[in-house]
């Protein structure tokens, strides 16, 4: 393995005032600890240190979104885009680009390393309970997540697990780790994953609840942490351990936060964006709440966020609202816009309006001048994106392009949400050999009836495994929207908010219907991929591989429709391209966005996917 010398000048942020009214974190960022003393034996020291680490995470909040979104195919730059952002979109990120600062990641990692090395994780209270186990698990999760972000952006990174507290430490030679090395370490060597030898599951770190310090600046502090099960799902997904990834995603859905967390079961619910009538004159959207609701509850979509300051003068202010939206801070000129790729993909979907009178009637939204183009097909794009080419500047009254992307309407940076977990679960199940399971997560939603009627019969040798490891009982996720509507036709009733719908139904209306010809569940144009000729001529293994790629394409399209502009796209394209051993998969997707041919690098060369180290860390 290639070795590297890194030069780091890092401060350990341990001083914190939890009583600050102006800021989430008030940290002395250059406060250095003494290497020969253990400062983390008391509750206050430990809590201050954890929140000091969270302060460091704020520095990489914006780039976590921008590096993943601007290099994808769903947004495009415009004449007002800054040079730093334009260079990201064109894969020409230089040393002086403000988003190319690897030392910001190592500031987080070094603080985590110090905490892990010095916290007394075995200390107990008078009831025999480990005092700092939640903080210990949370910090380990932050460190692993940070390394994952770092390696996805840089390809290979210096790997350090001990705190760097001196010039001598900084000048040591450290190994370079790639994505497989990072995943292997955190899955097998760091104690994050469940140990099957531990009979008592509570001894496994992934069962430990997240720390909860109440509200900080009116936001639940539990939202500031990264659930270990989601992180372990992601690490396994990147490592190609698909069944293990699916198990972790499912455990998060069914248990959410430890053994007794708040609203532990996590169904998709029936929240969506819908036309209110079949004249296409108005729509309602509980879906928009996903991006404004920063609370914890059964219907709250948000899982993890990086809390930021609400005004620039407080520091650690996210620029995302001013990049994606027309605001007073940018003279009402947004710097990026939705690309033709996402506009065309959204318009290509069909929205099905269900009007239940008598036998029921389904209408498809027309794709003509009856409704604005951003509302053709899938409603999610038009719900989150408002664009007026002939808008008015509120001060000068001049004609300007006005844009609002409602996904960026709060000061904070959202990292994980519910829809992403279900899409990742579908991706993992598909590649684990269960493409029909993945398909139903997109189309009908899943409950035990669908599991047993429409999924298990296709995988009979796995019947017990699927029923035991992926149950969706009505007492947890509720009835799937398919079955709720199916029975509502016979016996009309109000649909429970706990009902789970397919992710596609969040933007495309009534995408479920009765089985046609006894073959499958689906909607008109959204069926499980099937090819009779291939079924006859291909071996079972080859046909399954064909099914998996078809369903994977559906999942990637759904990821674009559901998670557009949220910072995941480039990494999702990267993961599929690596999985298929086909760099052109990513290159062709990006080429479709780059209609002006501004990208001059060869994206079929994997080396061009990654940022180059800037001068802050040299080798």
């Amino acid at each position: 393995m290639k070795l590297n010398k890194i030069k780091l000048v890092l401060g350990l942020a341990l001083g914190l005032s939890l009583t600050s009214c102006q800021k989430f974190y008030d940290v002395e960022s250059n406060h250095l600890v003494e290497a020969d003393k253990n400062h983390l034996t008391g509750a206050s020291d430990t809590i201050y240190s954890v929140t000091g680490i969270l302060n460091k995470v704020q520095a990489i909040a914006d780039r976590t979104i921008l590096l993943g979104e601007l290099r994808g195919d769903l947004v495009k730059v415009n004449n007002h885009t800054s040079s730093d952002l334009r260079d990201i979109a064109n894969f020409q990120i230089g040393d002086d680009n403000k988003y190319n600062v690897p030392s910001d990641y190592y500031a987080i990692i070094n603080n985590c390393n110090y905490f892990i090395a010095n916290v007394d994780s075995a200390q107990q209270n008078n009831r025999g309970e480990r005092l700092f186990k939640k903080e210990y698990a949370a910090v380990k999760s932050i460190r692993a997540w940070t390394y994952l972000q770092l390696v996805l952006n840089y390809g290979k990174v210096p790997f350090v697990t001990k705190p760097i507290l001196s010039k001598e430490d900084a000048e040591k030679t450290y190994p370079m780790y790639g994505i497989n090395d990072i995943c292997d370490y955190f899955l097998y060597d760091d104690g994050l994953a469940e140990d099957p030898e531990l009979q008592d599951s509570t001894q496994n770190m992934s069962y430990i609840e997240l720390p909860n310090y109440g509200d900080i600046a009116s936001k639940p502090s539990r939202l500031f942490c990264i659930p270990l099960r989601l992180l372990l799902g992601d690490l396994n997904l990147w490592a190609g351990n698909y069944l293990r990834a699916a198990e972790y995603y499912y455990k998060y859905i069914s248990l959410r936060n430890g053994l007794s967390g708040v609203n532990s079961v996590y169904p998709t619910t029936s929240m969506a964006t819908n036309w209110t009538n079949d004249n296409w004159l108005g729509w309602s959207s509980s879906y928009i709440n996903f991006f404004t609701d920063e609370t914890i509850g059964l219907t709250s979509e948000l899982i993890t966020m990086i809390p930021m300051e609400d005004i620039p003068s407080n520091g650690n202010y996210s620029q995302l609202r001013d990049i994606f939206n027309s605001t007073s801070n940018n003279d009402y000129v947004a710097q990026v816009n939705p690309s033709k790729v996402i506009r065309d993909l959204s318009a290509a979907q069909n929205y099905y309006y269900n009007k239940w009178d008598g036998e029921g009637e389904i209408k498809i939204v027309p794709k003509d001048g009856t409704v604005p183009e951003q509302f053709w097909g899938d409603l999610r794009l038009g719900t989150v994106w408002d664009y007026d080419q002939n808008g008015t500047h509120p001060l000068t009254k001049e004609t300007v392009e006005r844009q609002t992307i409602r996904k960026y309407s709060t000061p904070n940076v959202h990292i994980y949400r519910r829809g992403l977990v279900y899409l990742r679960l579908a991706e993992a199940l598909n590649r684990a050999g269960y493409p029909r399971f993945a398909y139903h997560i997109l189309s009908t939603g899943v409950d035990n009836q669908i599991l047993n009627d429409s999924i298990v019969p296709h995988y009979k040798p796995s019947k017990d495994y699927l029923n035991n490891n992926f149950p969706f009982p009505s007492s947890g996720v509720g009835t799937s929207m398919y079955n709720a509507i199916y029975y509502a036709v016979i016996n009309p009733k109000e649909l429970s908010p706990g009902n789970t719908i397919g992710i596609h139904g969040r933007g495309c209306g009534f995408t479920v219907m009765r089985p046609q010809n006894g073959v499958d569940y689906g909607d008109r144009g959204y069926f499980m991929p099937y090819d009779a000729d291939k079924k006859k001529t291909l071996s079972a293994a080859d046909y399954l591989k064909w099914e998996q790629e078809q369903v994977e394409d559906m999942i990637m399209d759904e990821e674009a429709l559901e998670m557009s502009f949220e910072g995941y796209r480039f990494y999702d394209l990267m993961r599929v391209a690596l999985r298929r051993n086909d760099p052109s998969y990513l290159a062709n997707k990006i080429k479709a966005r780059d209609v002006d041919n501004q990208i001059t690098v060869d994206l079929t060369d994997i080396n061009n996917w990654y940022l180059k180290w800037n001068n802050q860390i040299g080798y």
Side-chain angles (χ1 to χ4, degrees):
M1 179 177 297
K2 183 180 178 181
L3 298 179
N4 184 31
K5 287 190 176 182
I6 61 175
K7 298 179 180 179
L8 304 174
V9 181
L10 300 177
L12 288 172
L14 296 178
L16 171 76
S17 170
L18 286 175
T19 60
S20 171
C21 298
Q22 296 291 325
K23 302 181 180 182
F24 276 103
Y25 309 116
D26 183 15
V27 177
E28 298 175 29
S29 59
N30 294 319
H31 183 87
L32 298 177
V33 300
E34 298 179 34
D36 60 344
K37 292 183 180 180
N38 185 334
H39 287 258
L40 305 180
T41 57
S44 59
D45 286 335
T46 303
I47 294 171
Y48 291 168
S49 186
V50 171
T51 47
I53 290 168
L54 294 175
N55 168 262
K56 292 296 186 183
V57 175
Q58 291 177 312
I60 67 168
D62 281 7
R63 80 190 69 167
T64 299
I65 305 299
L66 295 172
L67 292 175
E69 202 60 44
L70 268 67
R71 291 183 294 169
D73 58 342
L74 306 182
V75 300
K76 65 182 181 70
V77 298
N78 58 43
N79 293 333
H80 307 287
T81 307
S82 72
S83 59
D84 283 337
L85 296 180
R86 186 180 304 277
D87 288 346
I88 291 174
N90 293 334
F91 295 83
Q92 296 175 337
I93 306 172
D95 285 358
D96 58 346
N97 192 299
K98 70 177 183 179
Y99 300 105
N100 182 14
V101 189
S103 61
D104 287 344
Y105 296 89
Y106 283 99
I108 304 166
I109 290 166
N110 202 39
N111 275 270
C112 290
N113 287 343
Y114 179 84
F115 181 94
I116 292 165
N118 289 284
V119 70
D120 187 356
S121 61
Q123 188 175 350
Q124 299 180 347
N125 61 19
N126 55 13
R127 296 186 298 275
E129 299 168 339
R130 289 164 56 203
L131 287 176
F132 306 129
K133 66 178 182 179
K134 294 180 181 180
E135 286 76 15
Y136 185 74
V139 170
K140 282 213 161 188
S141 182
I142 292 170
R143 181 175 70 170
W145 177 83
T146 304
Y147 262 122
L148 182 60
Q149 308 312 305
L150 185 63
V151 77
L152 290 180
N153 285 313
Y154 289 93
K156 283 195 173 183
V157 300
F159 191 70
V160 189
T161 57
K162 303 296 182 184
I164 294 175
L165 303 173
S166 66
K167 180 180 179 181
E168 289 73 21
D169 289 339
E171 293 179 347
K172 288 180 180 177
T173 298
Y174 295 93
M176 296 293 287
Y177 272 28
I179 182 63
N180 291 332
D181 306 306
I182 293 292
C183 291
D184 284 350
Y185 178 83
F186 290 112
L187 289 174
Y188 305 116
D189 298 330
D190 199 39
L192 298 179
E194 293 178 15
D195 184 350
E197 299 299 321
L198 294 176
Q199 298 300 313
D200 180 1
S201 62
T202 60
Q203 297 181 55
N204 284 306
M205 195 176 298
S206 68
Y207 280 82
I208 297 174
E209 293 184 31
L210 298 173
N212 185 6
Y213 307 132
D215 288 354
I216 299 179
S218 302
K219 301 299 178 184
S221 59
R222 197 188 296 270
L223 291 175
F224 305 167
C225 298
I226 300 164
L228 263 175
R229 291 195 186 95
L230 294 190
L231 178 63
L232 288 166
D234 287 352
L235 290 167
N236 277 290
L237 192 63
W238 280 101
N241 305 325
Y242 300 119
L243 200 56
R244 197 71 175 126
E247 290 172 349
Y248 275 118
Y249 291 132
Y250 174 80
K251 284 180 179 179
Y252 181 78
I253 288 169
S254 60
L255 294 174
R256 193 174 181 188
N257 180 49
L259 296 173
S260 59
V262 177
N263 296 313
S264 59
V265 179
Y266 213 41
T268 61
T269 77
S270 57
M271 297 173 73
T273 182
N274 301 297
W275 288 104
T276 54
N277 56 63
D278 57 1
N279 293 320
W280 326 122
L281 297 177
W283 49 270
S284 66
S285 182
S286 53
Y287 181 80
I288 201 66
N289 295 334
F290 291 167
F291 312 105
T292 58
D293 182 2
E294 296 176 337
T295 62
I296 295 176
L298 182 62
T299 59
S300 300
E301 177 85 358
L302 182 60
I303 296 172
T304 301
M305 71 177 186
I306 301 175
M308 306 295 285
E309 309 302 343
D310 56 358
I311 55 176
S313 60
N314 279 348
N316 288 328
Y317 171 83
S318 172
Q319 300 289 335
L320 295 179
R321 285 180 294 174
D322 302 327
I323 291 171
F324 286 95
N325 299 313
S326 302
T327 72
S328 59
N329 291 334
N330 59 23
D331 201 29
Y332 301 95
V333 176
Q335 295 192 55
V336 295
N337 307 109
S339 69
K340 188 174 186 297
V341 171
I342 185 59
R343 300 199 311 271
D344 288 350
L345 178 63
S346 180
Q349 310 308 306
N350 288 325
Y351 183 95
Y352 299 99
Y353 179 84
N354 61 290
K355 182 177 181 181
W356 294 111
D357 51 357
E359 288 298 313
E361 179 184 3
I362 302 174
K363 292 188 175 182
I364 299 177
V365 176
K367 299 178 182 179
D368 55 28
T370 306
V371 298
E373 184 176 346
Q374 63 263 41
F375 292 100
W376 290 4
D378 197 300
L379 262 184
R380 283 170 287 190
L381 180 61
T383 299
V384 302
W385 176 48
D386 184 39
Y387 178 76
D388 184 357
Q389 187 175 7
N390 298 306
T392 301
H393 193 292
L395 298 179
T396 67
K397 307 304 179 183
E398 296 176 339
T399 298
V400 293
E401 297 179 2
R402 295 286 297 269
Q403 172 176 288
T404 299
I405 291 182
R406 296 182 178 89
K407 291 187 175 184
Y408 294 101
S409 55
T410 84
N412 306 308
V413 178
H414 296 181
I415 299 299
Y416 278 109
R417 66 178 178 91
R418 183 187 337 222
L420 177 68
V421 181
Y422 276 85
L423 286 166
R424 295 267 170 91
L425 173 63
E427 183 182 345
L429 283 168
N430 178 53
R431 281 296 175 173
Y434 304 108
R436 283 181 177 268
F437 202 154
Y439 159 76
H440 279 284
I441 290 172
L442 304 184
S443 62
T444 62
V446 181
D447 59 17
N448 275 348
Q449 182 175 340
I450 285 178
L451 180 64
N452 284 287
D453 290 352
S454 301
I455 298 172
V456 168
H458 296 276
Y459 311 107
K460 291 181 180 178
S462 301
K463 176 181 178 180
D464 291 340
Y465 172 78
L466 292 174
N467 279 313
N468 291 335
N469 289 277
F470 300 96
F472 283 82
S474 59
S475 60
V477 299
T479 305
S480 72
M481 188 60 74
Y482 171 84
N483 284 317
I485 292 178
Y486 180 87
Y487 290 115
V489 176
I490 302 171
N491 181 24
K493 60 182 179 180
E494 182 180 352
L495 300 180
S496 164
N499 287 331
T500 181
I501 65 174
I503 298 298
H504 198 60
R506 286 183 159 190
C508 290
F510 182 55
T511 61
V512 293
M513 63 185 301
R514 300 179 186 183
Q516 294 188 354
N517 302 321
V519 176
D520 207 342
Y521 295 91
D523 70 37
R524 300 169 185 177
Y526 202 77
F527 285 104
M528 173 71 191
Y530 179 77
D531 188 306
D533 291 336
K534 286 184 170 61
K535 188 75 171 176
K536 291 177 182 178
T537 58
L538 295 178
S539 67
D542 286 341
Y543 187 77
L544 174 62
K545 181 179 179 181
W546 176 84
E547 267 189 330
Q548 287 175 309
E549 289 208 356
Q550 299 302 305
V551 171
E552 189 166 73
D553 288 341
M554 294 175 71
I555 293 169
M556 288 300 105
D557 282 350
E558 196 63 43
E559 189 274 344
L561 294 165
E562 174 67 20
M563 310 303 299
S564 58
F565 322 134
E566 295 181 51
Y568 307 105
R569 185 60 171 175
F570 180 72
Y571 307 118
D572 289 335
L573 297 178
M574 178 195 296
R575 191 166 55 251
V576 174
L578 292 174
R579 179 183 299 145
R580 296 184 181 185
N581 193 26
D582 181 11
S584 66
Y585 173 87
L586 179 146
N588 290 338
K589 294 282 189 182
I590 307 303
K591 184 178 179 180
R593 177 261 286 179
D594 184 35
V595 294
D596 297 327
N597 298 314
Q598 295 183 22
I599 300 175
T600 59
V601 301
D602 179 11
L603 292 180
T604 62
D605 181 350
I606 292 176
N607 293 316
N608 290 328
W609 297 358
Y610 303 108
L611 283 68
K612 304 299 188 291
W613 289 113
N614 71 12
N615 292 328
Q616 293 193 26
I617 298 183
Y619 66 99

